[in-house]
Amino acid sequence: MLDANLTQQLKTYLANLREPVELVASLGDDEKSQATRELLEEIAALHDMVSASFDGTDERKPSFVIRRASDAEKWVRFAGLPMGHEFTSLVLALLWAGGHPPKVDADLLEQVRGLEGNFHFEMYFSLSCHNCPDVVQALTLMALENPRVTATLIEGGTYKDEVEQRDVMAVPATFLNGEPFYNGKMELAEILAKVDTGADAKAAEKLAAKDPFEVLIIGGGPAGAASGIYTARKGFRTGIAAERFGGQLHDTLGIENLPGTAYTEGPKLAGQLESQVGENEIDLMNLAKAVKLVPAKEEGGLHTVELGNGASLKARSLILATGARWRNLGVPGEAEYRNKGVAYCPHCDGPLFKGKRIAVIGGGNSGVEAAIDLAKIVGHVTLIEYDDKLRADEVLQKKLRSMSNVEIVTSGQTTEITGKDGKVDGLVVKDRKSGEERRIDLEGVFVQIGLVPNTEWLEGSGLELTKFGEIVTDEEGRTNLPGIFGAGDVTDVPYKQIVVAMGEGSKAGLSAFDYLIRTEPAEDIAQAA
């Protein structure tokens, strides 16, 4: 199962075990059960503190439990092989079960251990899903730290019938105590916020106690991270408040146009940015959603940002880098069938549509790339573009047109997504030239039609926005309000690209530095200092 490279990597990691680990498998007579047996035997052979047995009685076959030999009440179960993107999750499960301390905030770890009640999680993942490992690893940690939490992590390709029965059409899909809990990526803190009723109040109390920042950045994508690195290196007390650090990077797989880096992946780059932020003594406040901006009453005064949990943060200067999100089609059926055939992440959810007919809405780079990737998995792809021609790079168009199971529809306006028995069963597209409508039978719709800036929370603040909701900035990243700057996809700067966002964030950071050294603090701030 493991090639020479993975075998050596795993052997190196297992050297960190402090306590014996047991692998207990429940197997059938099928090919995947045999592969599971082979994998566990290979793992056990790498370290004398790991043992494998095959006398499990769980109804899911193949599956296996990982647990500490001295504490059988804490365990995590993998149903199916955790390879691909989940190999790291398997390694971490082995290390944590073996007593190696997790690299997790101490407060979060204590919160996990203090959870009361019984929490039985079941979570479905696909091996190509780059958003799934965070959920898998968070649930694994919870299960291995608290005996009242169990986690069964299910590879959808192995349990297709179960996926169909539970109407799982998007991953990661998490169930709690038999009921749907959440569809999509969640980090440990987010899960705890949903299951621990006192989590928001605790977080708000902690945030409210913070002193005013010299620079406060709202948003933790490439622009926000770059801004923070620049201002922190200038010696200013810097904070980053982010709803999800990394932003859209977590939804981006292959990145091949970042100068100096031939290839990387979004989640990996997000992790590298978070590490660099940590090295620069920046106060990173994750899961902090801004809901209102109250600008300073006078130049040099303190701006206030109110958060969704009730806390407020203050700063002499602000850099707004809240990014953008996928644009919705806004047609009947889209909201009703979201995660029931309507999807936005082809890499995550594509494998669930293997052999089926699907549509991709959008003929830009994102849409064409999605159609190319999906055509390798699904039975047939219909690409629908509103314009009279595709807008993707020519090299992508050429690749798409070479694929035999792809139909391209231009001048097509999707007017409705239809469904039956709670699932997508087709869509209606209107020819914008002739006015004729056509129904297409299919089982999935992937929406890839661009971005919407995250600026709703700025309404009524006095900050100037474009008619599209973007923050208006000048050539130095300044907004119309003194001491407030904008950077990245949330602004009116053209070309929504990672490298552009990084540059704009760096520029905004330098502009904030220039503002702070040239602007005297308001009298009340100066007296408090």
Side-chain angles (χ1 to χ4, degrees):
M1 284 298 299
L2 300 175
D3 60 26
N5 183 43
L6 287 179
T7 298
Q8 185 55 49
Q9 285 184 43
L10 186 54
K11 186 174 183 179
T12 301
Y13 288 130
L14 292 179
N16 294 300
L17 294 179
R18 301 180 180 183
E19 296 188 43
V21 174
E22 295 178 341
L23 309 176
V24 183
S26 301
L27 304 177
D29 298 324
D30 57 292
E31 185 176 327
K32 290 192 175 181
S33 288
Q34 181 56 41
T36 301
R37 175 186 287 272
E38 183 180 336
L39 173 65
L40 300 188
E41 288 176 340
E42 289 180 11
I43 294 172
L46 294 177
H47 201 287
D48 58 9
M49 293 181 74
V50 181
S51 64
S53 61
F54 305 95
D55 54 358
T57 59
D58 191 76
E59 61 182 14
R60 288 191 179 93
K61 297 181 175 64
S63 69
F64 63 95
V65 160
I66 300 178
R67 69 190 184 197
R68 190 171 302 172
S70 61
D71 191 354
E73 291 186 0
K74 299 174 184 175
W75 53 267
V76 61
R77 180 181 298 278
F78 286 94
L81 290 171
M83 303 301 286
H85 282 292
E86 296 303 338
F87 183 72
T88 298
S89 302
L90 171 63
V91 173
L92 290 174
L94 291 165
L95 292 177
W96 294 337
H100 187 71
K103 294 180 179 179
V104 175
D105 181 83
D107 290 342
L108 287 180
L109 205 53
E110 284 306 309
Q111 194 176 347
V112 169
R113 292 166 178 164
L115 282 176
E116 297 181 356
N118 295 310
F119 303 92
H120 303 296
F121 287 100
E122 296 168 291
M123 179 264 182
Y124 295 85
F125 64 90
S126 73
L127 297 182
S128 61
C129 171
H130 58 282
N131 282 329
C132 292
D134 279 353
V135 188
V136 169
Q137 290 162 26
L139 295 177
T140 295
L141 180 64
M142 292 175 69
L144 292 175
E145 292 290 339
N146 189 326
R148 293 176 293 278
V149 179
T150 64
T152 299
L153 311 167
I154 306 156
E155 196 276 301
T158 301
Y159 289 91
K160 294 179 181 177
D161 291 343
E162 193 172 322
V163 165
E164 292 282 344
Q165 290 167 7
R166 299 185 89 163
D167 290 335
V168 174
M169 302 189 73
V171 290
T174 305
F175 291 75
L176 174 59
N177 298 333
E179 300 294 328
F181 177 68
Y182 191 79
N183 265 91
K185 178 176 176 173
M186 295 186 82
E187 296 180 0
L188 178 60
E190 293 173 281
I191 297 172
L192 289 172
K194 288 179 71 70
V195 300
D196 185 350
T197 54
D200 269 355
K202 295 173 188 174
E205 183 179 358
K206 188 175 180 180
L207 290 172
K210 292 181 181 292
D211 292 331
F213 292 93
E214 291 176 290
V215 182
L216 176 61
I217 298 148
I218 309 300
S227 294
I229 291 165
Y230 267 78
T231 58
R233 287 174 61 84
K234 292 291 186 181
F236 288 116
R237 182 169 182 268
T238 300
I240 296 178
E243 187 174 357
R244 179 178 66 152
F245 187 85
Q248 285 188 81
L249 288 178
H250 293 291
D251 304 319
T252 306
L253 196 54
I255 300 170
E256 299 177 303
N257 57 0
L258 191 63
T261 303
Y263 179 85
T264 188
E265 296 186 351
K268 180 180 179 181
L269 181 57
Q272 291 170 331
L273 287 174
E274 187 168 0
S275 295
Q276 191 172 6
V277 162
E279 291 168 1
N280 282 278
E281 298 183 356
I282 297 168
D283 188 347
L284 175 57
M285 297 157 280
N286 214 354
L287 305 184
K289 182 178 181 179
V291 296
K292 185 178 181 181
L293 168 64
V294 181
K297 294 180 180 179
E298 58 183 314
E299 188 169 0
L302 291 176
H303 307 286
T304 301
V305 175
E306 297 178 6
L307 304 177
N309 61 13
S312 293
L313 299 171
K314 296 181 182 295
R316 286 183 60 201
S317 66
L318 292 177
I319 298 174
L320 307 181
T322 46
R325 62 188 183 275
W326 290 117
R327 183 184 299 276
N328 293 326
L329 272 173
V331 301
E334 180 182 21
E336 181 181 354
Y337 296 109
R338 181 172 283 122
N339 297 325
K340 299 297 179 184
V342 175
Y344 301 84
C345 179
H347 301 295
C348 301
D349 303 329
L352 300 176
F353 293 87
K354 185 176 182 179
K356 298 180 180 180
R357 299 180 68 86
I358 63 100
V360 173
I361 313 298
N365 281 350
S366 295
V368 172
E369 286 175 350
I372 291 170
D373 289 342
L374 289 165
K376 302 170 186 175
I377 302 171
V378 304
H380 185 271
V381 177
T382 301
L383 178 76
I384 301 173
E385 164 56 33
Y386 184 85
D387 203 351
D388 59 2
K389 61 181 181 301
L390 298 184
R391 294 168 288 108
D393 295 342
E394 187 59 38
V395 64
L396 294 174
Q397 292 190 42
K398 184 176 180 181
K399 174 65 175 177
L400 182 69
R401 296 181 193 281
S402 72
M403 308 186 89
S404 61
N405 63 336
V406 174
E407 176 191 3
I408 299 172
V409 176
T410 55
S411 299
Q413 179 181 358
T414 303
T415 60
E416 182 183 5
I417 297 173
T418 63
K420 183 179 180 181
D421 298 327
K423 300 179 183 180
V424 167
D425 71 354
L427 59 74
V428 178
V429 61
K430 182 173 75 172
D431 188 311
R432 292 176 50 246
K433 294 181 178 178
S434 69
E436 294 182 4
E437 287 194 337
R438 167 191 173 194
R439 173 182 164 79
I440 303 175
D441 293 327
L442 43 77
E443 294 163 280
V445 178
F446 287 81
V447 181
Q448 302 280 292
I449 57 170
L451 303 169
V452 178
N454 295 316
T455 54
E456 292 85 353
W457 67 285
L458 296 171
E459 293 176 5
S461 66
L463 194 76
E464 185 181 358
L465 304 176
T466 69
K467 64 180 181 179
F468 303 110
E470 299 167 318
I471 297 172
V472 176
T473 58
D474 66 10
E475 67 278 2
E476 295 184 22
R478 294 175 297 204
T479 70
N480 64 306
L481 299 178
I484 300 181
F485 305 84
D489 289 0
V490 75
T491 72
D492 59 349
V493 170
Y495 311 120
K496 312 303 186 184
Q497 297 288 311
I498 293 169
V499 68
V500 174
M502 288 178 168
E504 291 297 311
S506 304
K507 181 171 69 177
L510 291 170
S511 295
F513 162 73
D514 185 70
Y515 168 81
L516 289 170
I517 63 174
R518 295 176 184 272
T519 306
E520 290 293 327
E523 186 176 345
D524 55 340
I525 302 176
Q527 290 174 349

